[in-house]
Amino acid sequence: MRPGLALTWRRIPERYTLKGNKCTNCSTNYFPPRKICPKCRRHGKIETLYYNGKGKVYAYSEITAPPVGFELEIPYVLALVELEEGPKLTAQIVDCKPADVKIGSRVHVVFRKIQQDGEEGLIHYGYKFKLVK
Amino acid sequence: MRRVAIVGAGMSRFGEDWNRGFRDMIIDAGTSAITDANISGDKIDGMFIGTMAAGRLIGQEHIGALIADFMGLNPVPSTRVEAACASGGVALRQGFMAVASGMHDTVVVGGVEKMTEVSTSEVATALGGAGDQEWELFMGATFPALYAFMAQRHMLDYGTTEEMMAHVAVKNHKNASKNKYAQYQNEITVDHVLKSKTIASPLKVFDCSPITDGAAAVVLMPYEKALSFTKKPVEIIASAQASDTIALHDRESLTKLKATEIAAQSAFKQAKLAPRDIQVAEVHDCFTIAEILAIEDLGFFKKGEGGKATMEGLTALNSQISINTSGGLKGCGHPVGATGVKQAVEITWQLRGQGGERQAKNANIGLTHNVGGSGATCVVHIMKKE
Ligand SMILES: [Zn+2]
């Protein structure tokens, strides 16, 4: 699915600045953010939390069969990144040889183009990660 | 609750079928199941149809009504059920509950998917909808990549190897070679798998289930009534389902599907049975690693030992437990909405002794295990022969 303009606009804070949240009732951090804390439900107290963008590779895969929109990207490395503050997220690891990525590699966030709606369409931006040298 | 039995089962030949469309396949499977049940169409009073992505793959929604119409079963209420690749298993559970509760008496449960009308990357994107669109797919995730993460962690934590995973594919192709409904009826070797093209490392083409057209159907009715239609009713003695996070990154562990564990525990409790009581099981091997996780999470093998058990042949036909006698998703094919129903068709045939060359010996109790997405939905059924 090509994400629409309004959806892209609504997600700008999270995708551009890693704006997530936390539940202060049970001290759990969430990224992507959640409206409801699954542990506390209506007793939860959700507050904004900006993530520092540092983390470690939890798992990774070099993708050679792309979904629609990523045909020109292959091969690319997709990873589960465990953020310093706790949550994991799904993102690409860029600016390195795939063989350089290992489980446990330290990474930090970079702001990049994620995908584009055809030749003249909207360009979608967001987070990717780079290995810490 | 009333006891519920399967009295009819049928499926279309799975494969890449350019000659037949969505409607043709489900009519074929539905008609086979109804004929097998030996009932008249006017006895049917409810239908549940599992389909994952007809809107995306063939541009058709409103599947329940479409199928009732072209099966000639109007005005029977007909409901589409969607739970990604678990659509069929969840449709079966809906049918089971409808009959058990007394709301319906004779129910047809179908599953169907027509996947080869669009390009492979379109299929990948459609199936991607089983994950989290905004936070996984948007970033370039594919389903092979999500299962690759699970494989990588399982390899790290338990020493599972690519060769062990390859043995899942080899075993399932061997079973499929004895199934005339299967997409692939050829045997393969470990070497074929290991040398096949990488899709999402460490997973290769032969670690992945294929893109398939196909349909399957079963007929359900109250157990007491079933005895007047067939000498071989197969009773559904447990039906359980569980949910987990839609995105893989929100799971505590990647080396198990928690929803499988929970659904399995609930099903075994309902049936008052243990994993060792099962002789034959159809489990959700959308990728080779998925079968390894499944046989561990269902309790057939200890956590971490599924790969080794497979390599030692303990899941082959007529070994410790016969896993995926149909050929599984890998060998028989994976028309996503149909898969959960096909599993029930295969177990019905096995428990009736109609497995032919792939018949499991002493098959008295069977199990089906159907997963949606990367494990956000899991449904388990246990079946018993009279
Ligand atoms: Zn909380």
Side-chain angles (χ1 to χ4, degrees), chain A residues 40-73:
Chain A
C40 310
R41 295 196 282 268
R42 69 197 164 96
H43 304 291
K45 289 192 172 57
I46 298 287
E47 286 177 18
T48 295
L49 173 65
Y50 285 91
Y51 287 81
N52 71 16
K54 292 178 192 164
K56 282 190 296 191
V57 173
Y58 186 81
Y60 65 92
S61 176
E62 185 181 355
I63 297 183
T64 41
V68 173
F70 291 83
E71 292 87 348
L72 299 177
E73 308 272 325

